Amino acid sequence: MEVSLWYSSHSMTEVQKHFLGWDKPFLSTAAKYLQEHYLGGELGSVDDLAVLVSGKAVARRLQTFLVNEATKEGRAVELPSIVTTSEFVRNLVPTNIRLADSQCVLLTTVSVLKLIPPEKLKIIVGARPMNDDDFVSWLQAAKKIWQTIRIASSGGLSIETQTWPDSAQHKLTPDSIERFALLFEIQKHVQQALSKDGMEVFELIQQSMLQPNSELNIDDLKRVVIFGCSDLSSGATLLLERLQSEGIAVHTFVRAPELESDGFGPYGRLISSYWMDKDIDIKDETIVVAGSPSSQSAEVVRALSLLDNSTSAECITIVATDEKMIPTLQRHLVGHKVHCRYSGGKPTLQTPEAMLLSGVADFVSSLSYSSYAALIRHPEISRIATVTEETLKQLGDYSANVIPCWLNELEWFLPKKTRSDFTLLPKLHEEMFAFFKPYIELDKKPSSFHDCASAIRELLLHIYGQEELDRTSTRLKSLQKMFGVLDSFDAISEDICNNLGGVRLSEVIRFMFSELEKDTIPELPDPLAIETVGWLEGMVVDTEHLIVVGMSSDLAGSNNPSDAYFPDRLLDALGLETMERRMARDAHAVVAMLQSRADNGNLTWIVGRKNTDADPLIPSPLLMRCTNPSALATRSKKLVVSFDNEKPEVPPQYVPSVEGTGIKIPKPSETTFEPLTQLSVTGFKDYIACTYRFWLKHVLKLKATEDGNTELDAKLFGSFVHSVLERFGKEDAMRTVSDVKVIEKKVFALLDYVANEQLGPNVSNKIEIQLELARYRLREFAKHQAKSVEDGWTIVCAEKFLKKELEVEGRKFTIRGMIDRVEKNIDGRIRVLDYKTGSTTANKAHLTKDSWVDLQLPLYGELLTKINELEGCNLESKNVELGYFIIGDQESTGGIDLLKPKVELQAILQDTIDSTIISILDNNYSDKPTDPAPRFSVDYSWICQDNSVTVELGDAYSA
């Protein structure tokens, strides 16, 4: 391979630029060049060579190419040092210098900040005073400080403004001068504190390394080769200049032809103005606009479907501009039987081990029921507590009925009145709090940083310490990374820990996780997998087919490196990375992707309009660099289309060729069961609505497991109001009271009693609001109750459970029911009322224009003969009124609502009751569920394979 084909000759004192062009595969060509010109095609020392690349993923790819190239030729190869620019700079730090790790620097900074007078600190943290015990806030301030220092040091600059050029100093306000002065002072104090332990801060060493007489760890280094580092920082560029001045040869490989040489400075660094003006010729047909991440993922599948069937996975790469979307994308691909692999690996914080520790932090810091329930469901908790399937079921039932907010450490609250079984939960509570008691204490009472770190180590060892893990185990790698951070915590000096003061266990765990936030565990190789890479790696990918998904204005996470301390105009004056530089970098990346596939392969651009948080996205302005005004107008319209009704489809080749039969639903005709001989009066509605779902519910007795909520759902809200009114109805002294205020006072007191009895003292703010809404409804109830007494009605009994055996066509069938309220008027009339907190009416709930859909109230009439209090009363249907006592949210929607069927419907009532009973006795159930599904039948939607459409029962008809 002739190097002279790629670059113009330069003197050896200059940087040797190699322009690889657009058409050559960048990394494989670079690997071949290294093999032939530096590695000599044979085993040899490469200690004098350093290879710089733009990212770790690129380094891995280049290593793979080198190994494969040597393998093809049957040669051995000693891999050179292939590093990112930041790693390269760290490698040049003299070996006698002990660098402090990031955790140590941050904690030292917190200890320094706490010594600064609050008034002076305002210029950094704001006017609101910092709480001495708020470790998280102090930590955030420390991170902000070092983020600012890092911006300066990446450009080879000090944070001391007097060392800046005049053009930059003129852009500083008095406040910013004061702020930078304080930052410089903090930086000095941090370095002084670390120097006591013989440690240095990397950012400060990085600045000193640019000085001509400073020491560098060069060793045998003689050659530096740079591959595609178009976004080199100005600090790295200055360091390369120093190395070159000391006789080290520097070669740079640029992904562009030589005719684009005006777009690159020394070492292949982009010249922003050149690329900001560059036309980008993207064909309209290659742009696909999609809305949500799932829709974008569907478009990726569609793009894959358009490729030739013979295209192998190694010829395809997916580039995700937002790495947060990658899990959604991978789930979608795997769901369509597409092998995929993310080159960046799985985030350490998404491993089960990290999620367990995160759950512990949430639990010990809040003692909330939600954190407790989530922690219980982690599989490793079974090592420290008795957790069975029945335990989890009881936990779900408890959550659905009690709606706890937080937990009492001493005892498990059990409601005094419940139909559910919670017998396993007190023991579970005892085991959990016995184990976690020391950790809860460390969170309640702030302790030393070292004590908290030791407790975290102890916890992990207790749970995982006895396991024998394979070297390739993801669990082993995850634990190694967490223990690595804990080891760095142990290295923090006692003086620094003492200056920090007390910290909470959960704060230390979360700080630990902040250090692991960008850490990943590499996925195992898969030759059949299509590789997914990040945006910056996408520029150097050589595969023929590239699918870029995302393409919003927020490429690679952020296109704006400026912040409150370093606005863009100041960055520009200091020669640091600005928004324009990032735009230029992205423009070069897009051109490289396009040009390298102009003659071979294809490129698809999928524009995302929503991110994983459902926030709207703006399409990348790079897509709008059209030279033709008409094309620009057409594309603009395409990019702003609405996605309110997006319906992504799966391409035919990714739909299984032979469809399965789906979930086989059970059929009554194929099942042996005993016929029902009794039924609750509320069950008749279920039979009329859908005989199949009735069979699931009342014959097979299938029940849905509720996960529980953080607030009262409609059903539980109604049951609370029912419980209050049940107790009210049983108060003999209240049955003849017509004073609204007296009634109101009574029901309010009963509400408080029921809430404490059923929910205990630990209720959330949401439930407190709902209880206030119940109080408001009960105030309206008091008005209607007083009016009912004035009209001559007296409560005879309340919450009466009754059973009665009926005989239909010579066959016996028992009905049962709980009547909310039975009244008697002074004129002898009887009234049966069912409490309702919803907005429905008795007629709407029971009738359509030509049929009965619910028989609850008429069947209550059948049960009246079983009430002892009504003995001797006239119970003929014409003397009995049936209806609802609606507990509405306003006076006009509440009150007594009677069932008044028209004459024709009254005439067929008995036949409807009889025929329904005979059908149940005859096991007359359909093998197919009613379609569309009736309302409120979601519990059985998975069995019945319902869609989301439910049928309304129609308009009520009143006589």
Side-chain angles (χ1 to χ4, degrees):
M1 182 172 60
E2 292 296 326
V3 179
S4 60
L5 295 176
W6 303 341
Y7 67 99
S8 301
S9 298
H10 297 277
S11 68
M12 290 303 293
T13 57
E14 296 180 354
V15 178
Q16 301 297 298
K17 283 187 190 174
H18 307 261
F19 290 92
L20 299 189
W22 299 126
D23 55 339
K24 291 182 174 64
F26 185 67
L27 283 182
S28 58
T29 304
K32 190 173 181 181
Y33 177 83
L34 277 174
Q35 182 75 20
E36 293 183 0
H37 294 267
Y38 284 94
L39 307 181
E42 58 189 20
L43 185 63
S45 174
V46 288
D47 292 341
D48 64 349
L49 171 65
V51 180
L52 274 62
V53 293
S54 58
K56 291 183 178 180
V58 178
R60 288 195 295 270
R61 281 177 173 268
L62 185 56
Q63 288 172 346
T64 301
F65 278 122
L66 286 171
V67 172
N68 290 344
E69 189 70 24
T71 302
K72 286 178 186 177
E73 299 181 9
R75 297 174 178 174
V77 61
E78 183 181 354
L79 292 175
S81 172
I82 304 177
V83 293
T84 63
T85 53
S86 60
E87 290 171 333
F88 177 66
V89 174
R90 278 187 175 269
N91 291 343
L92 293 175
V93 175
T95 55
N96 63 327
I97 293 178
R98 181 185 168 205
L99 292 177
D101 57 41
S102 61
Q103 298 97 328
C104 187
V105 172
L106 288 173
L107 294 176
T108 305
T109 306
V110 170
S111 68
V112 168
L113 289 174
K114 286 190 171 187
L115 299 175
I116 298 175
E119 197 63 33
K120 188 175 182 180
L121 204 57
K122 282 183 181 179
I123 195 69
I124 292 178
V125 301
R128 188 175 180 181
M130 296 275 280
N131 188 327
D132 193 58
D133 292 333
D134 189 356
F135 177 71
V136 173
S137 294
W138 288 105
L139 200 57
Q140 288 174 342
K143 287 181 177 180
K144 176 63 180 174
I145 288 167
W146 283 99
Q147 177 188 348
T148 305
I149 294 172
R150 201 168 293 118
I151 290 173
S153 65
S154 68
L157 297 172
S158 165
I159 206 73
E160 189 178 12
T161 57
Q162 288 138 349
T163 63
W164 293 355
D166 290 343
S167 58
Q169 292 192 48
H170 291 157
K171 297 188 183 319
L172 295 172
T173 64
D175 279 351
S176 62
I177 292 172
E178 184 182 351
R179 183 182 299 113
F180 280 116
L182 180 56
L183 292 177
F184 183 61
E185 182 183 338
I186 292 169
Q187 173 188 283
K188 285 194 299 183
H189 286 303
V190 170
Q191 181 58 74
Q192 288 169 2
L194 290 171
S195 296
K196 294 178 182 178
D197 294 313
M199 292 187 289
E200 304 285 340
V201 180
F202 170 70
E203 285 76 10
L204 306 187
I205 294 296
Q206 185 179 11
Q207 296 169 22
S208 67
M209 288 164 64
L210 299 177
Q211 304 306 315
N213 299 323
S214 62
E215 184 183 354
L216 293 178
N217 179 31
I218 295 177
D219 286 338
D220 299 325
L221 184 65
K222 295 178 182 176
R223 298 167 293 173
V224 176
V225 178
I226 306 170
F227 284 113
C229 296
S230 56
D231 61 341
L232 272 174
S233 68
S234 53
T237 303
L238 292 171
L239 187 58
L240 287 168
E241 285 179 1
R242 182 185 168 189
L243 291 175
Q244 193 178 13
S245 70
E246 297 188 11
I248 294 174
V250 179
H251 288 229
T252 184
F253 289 76
V254 180
R255 184 161 206 186
E258 193 165 3
L259 60 87
E260 305 279 9
S261 59
D262 290 344
F264 299 91
Y267 313 105
R269 190 172 189 242
L270 291 173
I271 295 175
S272 298
S273 57
Y274 181 91
W275 294 99
M276 288 297 289
D277 296 334
K278 192 76 174 173
D279 290 335
I280 300 177
D281 184 22
I282 299 177
K283 295 181 174 59
D284 273 345
E285 61 269 21
T286 65
I287 299 175
V288 179
V289 187
S292 65
S294 62
S295 180
Q296 295 169 49
S297 301
E299 292 298 344
V300 172
V301 176
R302 188 189 304 280
L304 291 173
S305 74
L306 298 176
L307 300 177
D308 189 273
N309 290 334
S310 62
T311 305
S312 64
E314 64 182 9
C315 298
I316 309 167
T317 303
I318 299 169
V319 179
T321 63
D322 179 3
E323 294 186 7
K324 289 182 180 178
M325 191 194 141
I326 290 174
T328 302
L329 177 60
Q330 288 189 306
R331 285 194 297 269
H332 205 92
L333 292 172
V334 171
H336 293 294
K337 312 300 181 187
V338 178
H339 286 250
C340 58
R341 179 180 181 274
Y342 173 44
S343 64
K346 179 180 180 179
T348 302
L349 296 187
Q350 290 182 14
T351 62
E353 299 74 36
M355 293 177 74
L356 172 66
L357 207 53
S358 175
V360 170
D362 291 341
F363 171 57
V364 300
S365 61
S366 68
L367 295 185
S368 68
Y369 176 84
S370 59
S371 65
Y372 175 84
L375 189 58
I376 291 296
R377 286 175 169 82
H378 194 287
E380 303 306 333
I381 289 298
S382 61
R383 303 188 187 201
I384 60 176
T386 307
V387 182
T388 65
E389 188 175 336
E390 177 60 24
T391 309
L392 296 178
K393 177 184 179 300
Q394 289 189 18
L395 200 64
D397 290 342
Y398 186 86
S399 175
N401 288 279
V402 181
I403 319 291
C405 181
W406 63 87
L407 301 177
N408 186 320
E409 293 180 57
L410 301 179
E411 63 178 349
W412 184 263
F413 172 77
L414 289 173
K416 295 178 182 178
K417 184 179 179 182
T418 178
R419 297 177 184 176
S420 301
D421 180 14
F422 302 140
T423 53
L424 296 177
L425 300 185
K427 181 185 178 184
L428 177 65
H429 171 273
E430 183 181 343
E431 292 174 338
M432 287 289 288
F433 277 87
F435 179 82
F436 284 107
K437 183 178 180 180
Y439 305 108
I440 293 171
E441 290 300 316
L442 277 174
D443 207 82
K444 273 186 179 179
K445 300 175 182 177
S447 185
S448 78
F449 192 89
H450 279 158
D451 286 348
C452 291
S454 296
I456 297 169
R457 185 188 299 276
E458 175 190 306
L459 174 63
L460 291 173
L461 287 174
H462 189 284
I463 295 176
Y464 299 107
Q466 302 304 314
E467 281 195 50
E468 293 185 8
L469 300 173
D470 183 82
R471 186 175 297 177
T472 60
S473 165
T474 301
R475 172 166 291 176
L476 176 62
K477 295 172 182 176
S478 173
L479 290 172
Q480 284 175 333
K481 290 179 181 295
M482 288 193 283
F483 279 116
V485 177
L486 290 172
D487 289 342
S488 69
F489 288 171
D490 291 342
I492 297 168
S493 72
E494 287 296 333
D495 285 345
I496 293 174
C497 284
N498 292 335
N499 291 337
L500 283 176
V503 294
R504 302 180 191 278
L505 180 77
S506 59
E507 293 172 336
V508 178
I509 293 175
R510 289 173 182 134
F511 174 48
M512 174 181 170
F513 281 1
S514 71
E515 296 302 297
L516 292 170
E517 192 172 11
K518 295 183 179 179
D519 204 89
T520 60
I521 297 173
E523 296 184 36
L524 294 174
D526 181 357
L528 300 178
I530 296 173
E531 188 135 13
T532 303
V533 301
W535 169 245
L536 296 181
E537 188 186 357
M539 187 190 77
V540 295
V541 166
D542 297 322
T543 53
E544 296 173 25
H545 307 287
L546 204 64
I547 301 171
V548 182
V549 56
M551 283 310 291
S552 72
S553 60
D554 195 28
L555 289 175
S558 174
N559 257 326
N560 191 356
S562 65
D563 63 10
Y565 294 173
F566 270 116
D568 215 56
R569 55 186 174 77
L570 182 57
L571 291 172
D572 184 52
L574 291 169
L576 299 175
E577 184 173 273
T578 61
M579 185 174 180
E580 182 177 289
R581 272 206 64 78
R582 287 204 177 182
M583 284 289 291
R585 176 203 68 189
D586 294 339
H588 171 246
V590 170
V591 171
M593 292 175 183
L594 285 167
Q595 294 292 343
S596 61
R597 293 164 184 83
D599 300 320
N600 184 27
N602 60 52
L603 186 52
T604 302
W605 308 91
I606 298 174
V607 183
R609 292 294 307 278
K610 296 176 186 175
N611 63 17
T612 52
D613 296 322
D615 297 325
L617 298 174
I618 300 172
S620 171
L622 298 175
L623 299 170
M624 308 296 287
R625 290 201 188 174
C626 305
T627 54
N628 186 316
S630 177
L632 178 61
T634 302
R635 185 168 299 177
S636 299
K637 181 180 179 181
K638 181 178 183 178
L639 293 176
V640 297
V641 67
S642 171
F643 295 97
D644 293 338
N645 299 307
E646 58 179 348
K647 296 180 180 179
E649 298 177 4
V650 179
Q653 49 266 69
Y654 288 97
V655 175
S657 56
V658 178
E659 290 191 12
T661 56
I663 302 172
K664 184 177 181 181
I665 66 174
K667 295 181 179 180
S669 63
E670 299 174 354
T671 310
T672 302
F673 52 88
E674 293 293 324
L676 286 180
T677 57
Q678 62 174 312
L679 183 65
S680 167
V681 296
T682 58
F684 284 80
K685 176 182 178 180
D686 296 333
Y687 187 87
I688 294 170
C690 174
T691 63
Y692 180 77
R693 291 180 177 84
F694 174 91
W695 176 72
L696 293 176
K697 181 177 180 179
H698 297 280
V699 179
L700 297 189
K701 301 189 183 303
L702 299 184
K703 290 176 28 176
T705 299
E706 298 184 53
D707 291 330
N709 299 304
T710 58
E711 57 187 341
L712 304 173
D713 60 19
K715 178 181 175 183
L716 200 53
F717 181 83
S719 73
F720 259 78
V721 175
H722 268 66
S723 295
V724 172
L725 298 181
E726 172 193 348
R727 285 168 170 78
F728 176 84
K730 291 180 178 179
E731 294 267 354
D732 292 339
M734 298 301 300
R735 292 181 175 179
T736 57
V737 174
S738 59
D739 188 320
V740 174
K741 290 298 180 183
V742 174
I743 298 171
E744 185 180 291
K745 183 178 179 181
K746 185 63 180 180
V747 292
F748 286 177
L750 289 171
L751 176 65
D752 293 336
Y753 177 82
V754 171
N756 187 67
E757 181 183 66
Q758 296 299 111
L759 302 179
N762 299 332
V763 295
S764 67
N765 291 337
K766 288 182 182 179
I767 292 179
E768 286 181 350
I769 292 172
Q770 288 183 297
L771 292 176
E772 284 305 309
L773 293 175
R775 200 179 303 275
Y776 182 82
R777 288 184 181 237
L778 289 172
R779 183 179 290 114
E780 296 303 315
F781 161 81
K783 298 175 186 176
H784 294 292
Q785 171 63 22
K787 176 68 166 54
S788 181
V789 172
E790 289 174 357
D791 291 342
W793 292 99
T794 303
I795 298 174
V796 174
C797 59
E799 288 293 312
K800 199 78 169 179
F801 179 75
L802 304 163
K803 294 174 72 173
K804 183 177 181 179
E805 187 176 80
L806 304 179
E807 187 171 315
V808 183
E809 297 181 7
R811 303 167 71 179
K812 295 180 178 179
F813 190 85
T814 300
I815 61 171
R816 63 183 188 274
M818 181 80 75
I819 300 180
D820 289 344
R821 173 169 169 152
V822 179
E823 301 175 325
K824 183 179 178 181
N825 196 276
I826 55 175
D827 62 11
R829 285 178 294 154
I830 305 298
R831 188 162 70 182
V832 180
L833 297 176
D834 196 47
Y835 290 124
K836 291 292 180 185
T837 52
S839 59
T840 187
T841 64
N843 271 24
K844 185 176 181 180
H846 285 72
L847 308 169
T848 63
K849 291 182 179 179
D850 54 10
S851 65
W852 289 83
V853 293
D854 192 348
L855 301 173
Q856 180 183 4
L857 289 176
L859 288 173
Y860 278 161
E862 293 280 353
L863 293 172
L864 293 181
T865 58
K866 295 294 181 178
I867 299 178
N868 295 331
E869 292 89 339
L870 295 180
E871 188 174 345
C873 296
N874 179 5
L875 299 179
E876 295 180 13
S877 59
K878 62 183 179 180
N879 193 54
V880 176
E881 297 177 355
L882 306 170
Y884 289 161
F885 197 139
I886 299 175
I887 317 301
D889 55 3
Q890 51 188 318
E891 190 172 357
S892 61
T893 61
I896 310 300
D897 175 71
L898 297 178
L899 176 65
K900 295 179 179 179
K902 60 188 290 187
V903 176
E904 298 93 309
L905 291 176
Q906 186 64 43
I908 64 170
L909 173 60
Q910 193 60 50
D911 286 343
T912 303
I913 294 173
D914 292 347
S915 63
T916 303
I917 290 174
I918 291 298
S919 294
I920 293 172
L921 287 169
D922 288 343
N923 290 333
N924 187 5
Y925 306 117
S926 170
D927 278 346
K928 292 183 178 180
T930 300
D931 186 25
R935 298 181 69 199
F936 312 118
S937 61
V938 69
D939 285 354
Y940 305 103
S941 60
W942 286 103
I943 298 176
C944 299
Q945 301 178 48
D946 297 335
N947 55 27
S948 60
V949 180
T950 58
V951 65
E952 296 286 348
L953 295 178
D955 295 329
Y957 178 81
S958 300

